[in-house]
Every structure is written in C-alpha cells, then in structure tokens.
Amino acid sequence: MNIELYKKISSMHGPSGNEHNMKAYMKEALKDADEILEDRMGGVFGVFKGEKEGPKIMICAHMDEVGAIITDITKDGFMKITSIGGVNPEVLVSSNVNIETKDGKLIKGVISSIPPHISKDNKLAIEDLTLDIGAISDEEVRNLGIEIGCFVSPVDYFYVTENGKRMVNKAFDDRMGCAIVLELIEEIKNIKHPNTIILGGTVQEEVGLRGARVATPLVNPDLFLTIDVSPMMDYLGKPNEGALGKGFLLRYFDPGCIMPLKLKNYIISLSEKNNIKYQMFRSRGGTDAGAAQYTGYGTLATTLGVPGRYIHSPASMVDLDDVNSVKEIAKKIIEDFDNDKLKEILN
C-alpha cells in the first residue's frame, strides 16, 4: 500500500465541478492503457484488454469531494458561501479552507464561528457563515483573483494514527476509492484475466451522481463496480451499521441501488474462498452504482465500500486493512469473472 499516494490525492483540492487536478493525475496514471476514454463532464477512464473477449467490467471512483462555492463578496472583504454536496455547517465552523483563484492559486482562509444565540432558530445554516482571508475590502479580495464562483475545500492535515493502522484527512470520500483504482491500474499489468477492464474516475457524484450518468454509456459495461467510502456508526455504539477494521462493505441495499441476489452471493463466495474480510452493509445514501444501473437495458451495478468515520468533514478516518480488503476483492473479481459467471448471475 502506497501511503504517500493516499496522502497526495486526498490532499488535492477538488470539489464537485472542479475536479481538474484529480483528472490530470488520473489521466497520467492511465497513459499505458490500451485506450483512454473521456466524457465531456470531466470523467476519465482507461481500457485494459484481457486475454479473451470476456465481459466489460467498469471499476470507478468519484474524483470530487464535498466543499463550498463563493456566492458573494462584501465591501469589507468577507465572503459568503453555499455548500457543494452534503456538508454539515457545524463541521465548517472555525475550519481552515483553501480557495482556488481564477488563476489556479490556492489561498487560505478561515470559516467564521457564529455564537449559537444569534444563529437562525439556534440551528446553524451555511448562509450564516462567513469566509475570512484577512482582507479589508472587496477590491483586495478581487485583486487576489478571488471572485464569485470560486471553489472552496478544507485544508488538508493528513496523518497516520499512532498505532499505524489508520489514516486521517479530508476528502477520503472518495479519494480512498481513487487511490485504490490508481493502485489497480498498476497491478492489473500483472493480473491474468479474460475480461476488458475499464478503470477511472467520475465527476460530480456528491451533487447527484451526475458524472456516472454520462460516463457509463461510453462503455456499456456488463458489470459496474464503484469503490466508495461510507459512514460508519461504530463510534456511536452502532456496530451493526458498519465498523472500521472489519473488512470491505458489501452494500446489499441503499435507497438508489439494491444489489442483485446472485451478484451478492457471488461476491460473498469469492470473498470467503480467498479469506477476504467483509461486512454486510445497508446504506442510507447512494453511490454512482445507482446511476450506472440504468445504462443500456440495465447494468449489473454495485458498490465495494470502504468503511469511514466522520466523512464529509475535514478529518475523516479509514482503516488500512479495510482499504486493502477492497482492493483485494476487486482484484479477485477481475481475475475470476467471465462470460459464464455473467450468464449465471443474469439468468
């Protein structure tokens, strides 16, 4: 496992609609693919052909992170923002952020702290918050290249926990998935398989699975697997809703995608045969699989989940063993899946 890779890409700035840094990195990593595909929204994918004319397996992660966008600049040099994706305003209070200027420079600022007795109905709204870079006028802000529509993301503070078992940073949803895809790009060169594998990254997942809707028709995959991070509730005393350290998440149900029974049984069998730890997981949110399943006449689609604590915040946490279990089951599916397995699941 390449810890430096996980640090580098989770630290990148890239809210939904502003994924160009991650796309450039992903595209460079795909340079040895048999073919590179790009959609007009910003998704990028590499095609890796196997030894036979087997099924097309698309394995993706979304490159965007939750964040904010500037909606106003006041005469006193403060900025107002609105959220991009599911952001709890309380998470942003007093947090340090990066603003990307129109020239691509990152400028640091801080989100204001609002006393609870003056917030709306004692419940904080993102419109109550102010972004402060220390400027004294709107002219100073604009001269720095900041304007309405500039994107905002948390400042990165990556570290490995003292016991060496877990990592913490912003944007693990879904840069963990991206890192796993990037490692698969390297490892697929040494994997013998009969399939056509499509690896890459989608955009704008956090704002409605938008990128997957345009990416999957490029490929019309027989099997679509998205690698994504899901929130665990073990720290609230709810281990049945997922826990760190217990293996990848077999997402059998979420509001947007129900895993086909035969596909679920296939992944369980493959996991147990290869001693890969997994946990059954019912999610309250959706992933790109929910959009991909509508491709063509319908596509087999599911999520291989990375357990995560405190996601959609500047300090999410994942377990290294869980991350490795996701990568291992993805590799086994690449090796094992073929036309016969596809027919068995579809019939």
Side-chain angles (χ1 to χ4, degrees):
M1 180 179 293
N2 186 347
I3 297 296
E4 283 303 310
L5 170 66
Y6 286 69
K7 176 181 179 180
K8 181 170 185 176
I9 68 168
S10 62
S11 298
M12 285 184 184
H13 167 87
S16 305
N18 191 229
E19 302 94 343
H20 59 91
N21 293 320
M22 268 302 302
K23 178 183 178 178
Y25 193 89
M26 186 78 79
K27 188 173 181 179
E28 174 63 21
L30 289 165
K31 62 184 179 182
D32 294 330
D34 295 307
E35 182 182 4
I36 293 180
L37 303 174
E38 298 179 63
D39 63 58
R40 292 181 178 178
M41 288 185 69
V44 61
F45 315 91
V47 179
F48 298 85
K49 297 179 181 178
E51 298 174 340
K52 299 178 181 179
E53 292 295 323
K56 290 182 289 185
I57 305 175
M58 191 173 191
I59 305 177
C60 298
H62 67 86
M63 298 183 288
D64 56 314
E65 62 180 305
V66 295
I69 193 167
I70 294 173
T71 59
D72 192 22
I73 302 171
T74 72
K75 290 183 179 180
D76 294 327
F78 299 109
M79 284 152 280
K80 305 303 289 185
I81 59 174
T82 194
S83 60
I84 295 177
V87 180
N88 183 343
E90 295 176 357
V91 168
L92 295 179
V93 171
S94 298
S95 64
N96 294 306
V97 296
N98 282 316
I99 307 161
E100 185 175 7
T101 70
K102 60 184 180 182
D103 299 320
K105 180 181 178 181
L106 294 181
I107 293 178
K108 286 184 170 57
V110 62
I111 303 292
S112 62
S113 175
I114 303 292
H117 57 281
I118 65 171
S119 64
K120 299 174 183 177
D121 301 320
N122 291 325
K123 184 176 181 181
L124 196 62
I126 197 163
E127 289 76 17
D128 296 322
L129 302 176
T130 298
L131 175 51
D132 186 354
I133 63 168
I136 60 174
S137 68
D138 57 342
E139 183 180 8
E140 183 180 357
V141 172
R142 295 182 191 279
N143 285 341
L144 289 170
I146 298 173
E147 56 189 17
I148 292 172
C150 282
F151 292 87
V152 180
S153 68
V155 170
D156 57 286
Y157 293 105
F158 179 93
Y159 65 91
V160 176
T161 57
E162 192 66 22
N163 60 10
K165 294 182 178 179
R166 289 165 180 174
M167 299 179 284
V168 176
N169 202 7
K170 71 162 186 89
F172 280 173
D173 179 11
D174 186 30
R175 302 291 168 69
M176 283 295 102
C178 292
I180 292 169
V181 168
L182 286 164
E183 290 191 320
L184 287 172
I185 290 169
E186 286 300 311
E187 296 192 24
I188 199 170
K189 300 171 185 176
N190 301 315
I191 298 175
K192 292 184 178 181
H193 64 88
N195 308 298
T196 296
I197 309 300
I198 300 92
L199 297 169
T202 61
V203 298
Q204 298 194 37
E205 189 269 359
E206 296 291 1
V207 288
L209 319 181
R210 298 174 188 174
R213 297 180 194 278
V214 299
T216 46
L218 284 174
V219 175
N220 287 318
D222 297 297
L223 174 63
F224 178 91
L225 302 172
T226 185
I227 300 176
D228 208 342
V229 177
S230 298
M232 301 296 92
M233 299 297 176
D234 52 350
Y235 68 99
L236 295 176
K238 299 179 180 180
N240 290 336
E241 294 195 40
L244 261 63
K246 293 189 177 181
F248 78 89
L249 303 172
L250 189 71
R251 185 187 284 236
Y252 65 91
F253 176 88
D254 71 35
C257 186
I258 301 172
M259 185 185 293
L261 178 61
K262 290 183 179 180
L263 179 59
K264 181 184 75 173
N265 291 340
Y266 169 69
I267 296 176
I268 289 174
S269 175
L270 200 58
S271 300
E272 293 179 348
K273 178 182 177 181
N274 292 281
N275 297 312
I276 301 171
K277 290 173 65 176
Y278 69 92
Q279 48 189 314
M280 303 298 291
F281 183 65
R282 174 181 63 88
S283 177
R284 302 180 187 186
T287 71
D288 278 341
Q293 67 186 333
Y294 296 109
T295 306
Y297 294 102
T299 294
L300 281 174
T302 194
T303 305
L304 301 178
V306 180
R309 290 182 188 153
Y310 328 124
I311 69 170
H312 289 207
S313 84
S316 47
M317 178 184 289
V318 298
D319 185 280
L320 272 67
D321 287 341
D322 290 338
V323 173
N324 192 58
S325 71
V326 177
K327 184 171 67 173
E328 289 304 308
I329 189 59
K331 287 167 59 177
K332 291 302 178 183
I333 292 171
I334 290 171
E335 292 174 346
D336 183 77
F337 204 73
D338 57 20
N339 284 316
D340 290 337
K341 299 288 193 319
L342 178 62
K343 290 177 182 178
E344 288 175 17
I345 293 171
L346 291 176
N347 291 333

